[in-house]
Amino acid sequence: MPGHFEPLPGGGAAVALDEVEISIIRSLAVQLLELIGPGPAENAPDDPLAELFAEGPSEPPSDPVLQRLFPDAYSGPGVEAASAEQAEEQRAHSSEFRRFTENDLRAGKRENALAVIRSLDGLTPGDGGAVLKLDAAQSEQWLRALNDLRLAIGSRLDVVDEEDTDLLYRLPDEDPRKPMVMAYLWLGGLQETLVATLMP
């Protein structure tokens, strides 16, 4: 079990984590929460209907990590317009889509990151570590949060495709990106083994 998730009888997954690993995952999840920002209800707590009628932003975020977490639906990398008119139409559709979906997407990503933090805070480490046990629903939240964390770190490392990931393995130890690379690869291993526990 050390370093990877294993299935639990009846559903769910478990992984042994040491204190450093717990601290790293928790810290990354907190940073992700800070990056995503508060929800509309947190900005207007006195109005119970505010969240229901709140519209999201219509423009894409300027931060490259947030662009990766909340990509345009109809334009962006890999989507080429045939004309300037079509490009403008794609931007308008993306803007409208973002306005009505981004708040919900942000809320989901916040909830997944919070689920990771709560489950880690519920551990009682002994002898330098603890075994994290997740039920099926928690496993899915963890899977989504791990994906978001890898997207965020991958964006900071300029990882776009598999070839970029291959280059990360060859970085010299003195490269300042090395700790971030190690976290990216480690989270990928956790994610892969968690996916395997969810397979029928």
Side-chain angles (χ1 to χ4, degrees):
M1 186 185 313
H4 62 273
F5 279 97
E6 291 186 0
L8 289 174
V15 62
L17 298 170
D18 64 32
E19 289 180 6
V20 173
E21 292 168 334
I22 292 168
S23 175
I24 290 170
I25 296 172
R26 190 183 190 289
S27 173
L28 290 172
V30 167
Q31 290 175 53
L32 182 64
L33 277 175
E34 291 170 354
L35 185 65
I36 292 170
E42 295 169 58
N43 291 331
D46 296 334
D47 185 357
L49 297 176
E51 188 173 359
L52 183 62
F53 295 105
E55 290 184 1
S58 59
E59 295 300 315
S62 57
D63 187 305
V65 173
L66 290 175
Q67 288 174 13
R68 183 80 63 94
L69 291 172
F70 305 104
D72 273 342
Y74 298 94
S75 61
V79 181
E80 292 187 27
S83 65
E85 183 179 317
Q86 187 182 24
E88 185 56 39
E89 187 176 309
Q90 286 174 343
R91 278 192 291 277
H93 288 315
S94 289
S95 174
E96 193 74 358
F97 186 81
R98 183 178 296 281
R99 196 160 60 96
F100 292 109
T101 61
E102 189 166 313
N103 283 344
D104 287 341
L105 291 172
R106 283 181 184 260
K109 290 180 186 300
R110 263 192 304 276
E111 193 51 45
N112 293 331
L114 280 170
V116 167
I117 293 166
R118 288 179 189 126
S119 58
L120 292 174
D121 287 350
L123 293 176
T124 50
D127 294 328
V131 175
L132 174 70
K133 293 182 180 180
L134 305 172
D135 62 28
Q138 290 170 321
S139 294
E140 289 182 15
Q141 285 186 299
W142 262 76
L143 188 59
R144 289 190 292 269
L146 287 172
N147 187 61
D148 288 342
L149 290 172
R150 290 194 78 237
L151 284 173
I153 295 171
S155 180
R156 294 287 188 237
L157 292 170
D158 294 322
V159 173
V160 178
D161 55 32
E162 196 62 39
E163 192 173 297
D164 296 328
T165 304
D166 292 341
L167 293 173
L168 297 179
Y169 286 102
R170 296 193 288 275
L171 278 181
D173 289 342
E174 60 273 10
D175 191 302
R177 297 172 295 170
K178 192 71 172 191
M180 205 182 323
V181 168
M182 297 305 291
Y184 178 78
L185 298 173
W186 173 58
L187 291 174
L190 283 177
Q191 185 181 20
E192 190 176 314
T193 60
L194 184 52
V195 167
T197 69
L198 296 171
M199 301 297 262

